[in-house]
């Protein structure tokens, strides 16, 4: 993807389809990630932690090269466990996508 394409992808994922874009962590190494395999694209980002929640790793998927997007799904299984915002996303050769993140849940 060329520089500037990330903003186009994020603007295509409209608030009301799963998450408010303005509430995502950005900056340093904490911004959204994009991975693609064929016509499938996944965008992942961490929601900003507030007193009302957040700190979740969210993902949106497009199966038609970005023409339409799914609603956001929380990737992490425990709310708030990705609040550090350190994560990565990759597409595998078989079409699956994987994410890894710094998990701060308590035992």
């Amino acid at each position: 993807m060329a520089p500037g394409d990330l903003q186009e992808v994020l603007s295509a994922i409209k608030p009301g389809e799963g998450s408010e874009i303005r509430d995502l962590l950005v900056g340093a190494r904490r911004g959204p990630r994009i991975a693609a395999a064929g016509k499938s694209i996944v965008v992942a980002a961490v929601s900003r932690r507030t007193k009302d929640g957040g700190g979740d790793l969210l993902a949106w998927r497009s199966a038609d090269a970005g023409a339409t997007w799914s609603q956001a799904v929380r990737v992490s299984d425990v709310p708030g466990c990705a609040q550090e915002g350190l994560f990565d996303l990759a597409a595998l050769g078989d079409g699956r996508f994987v994410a890894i993140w710094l998990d701060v849940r308590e035992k």
Side-chain angles (χ1 to χ4, degrees):
M1 296 193 135
D5 286 350
L6 176 58
Q7 186 58 43
E8 291 177 30
V9 170
L10 291 177
S11 66
I13 304 170
K14 297 174 180 52
E17 290 185 349
S19 180
E20 296 287 335
I21 296 301
R22 63 183 165 77
D23 289 336
L24 301 179
L25 291 178
V26 296
R29 298 187 57 82
R30 290 175 168 80
R33 304 286 192 271
I34 300 174
K39 290 187 174 188
S40 293
I41 304 169
V42 172
V43 175
V46 174
S47 61
R48 186 177 314 279
R49 183 81 172 155
T50 68
K51 62 180 174 70
D52 298 321
D56 297 316
L57 179 56
L58 304 172
W60 297 262
R61 185 178 184 130
S62 172
D64 54 13
T68 60
W69 291 90
S70 70
Q71 291 188 357
V73 295
R74 190 178 76 221
V75 175
S76 50
D77 62 343
V78 174
C81 72
Q83 65 188 347
E84 279 296 319
L86 300 172
F87 75 99
D88 215 339
L89 174 70
L92 301 179
D94 63 4
R96 292 180 298 153
F97 292 85
V98 295
I100 187 168
W101 64 94
L102 176 61
D103 193 306
V104 296
R105 73 181 83 186
E106 294 182 23
K107 292 183 181 181

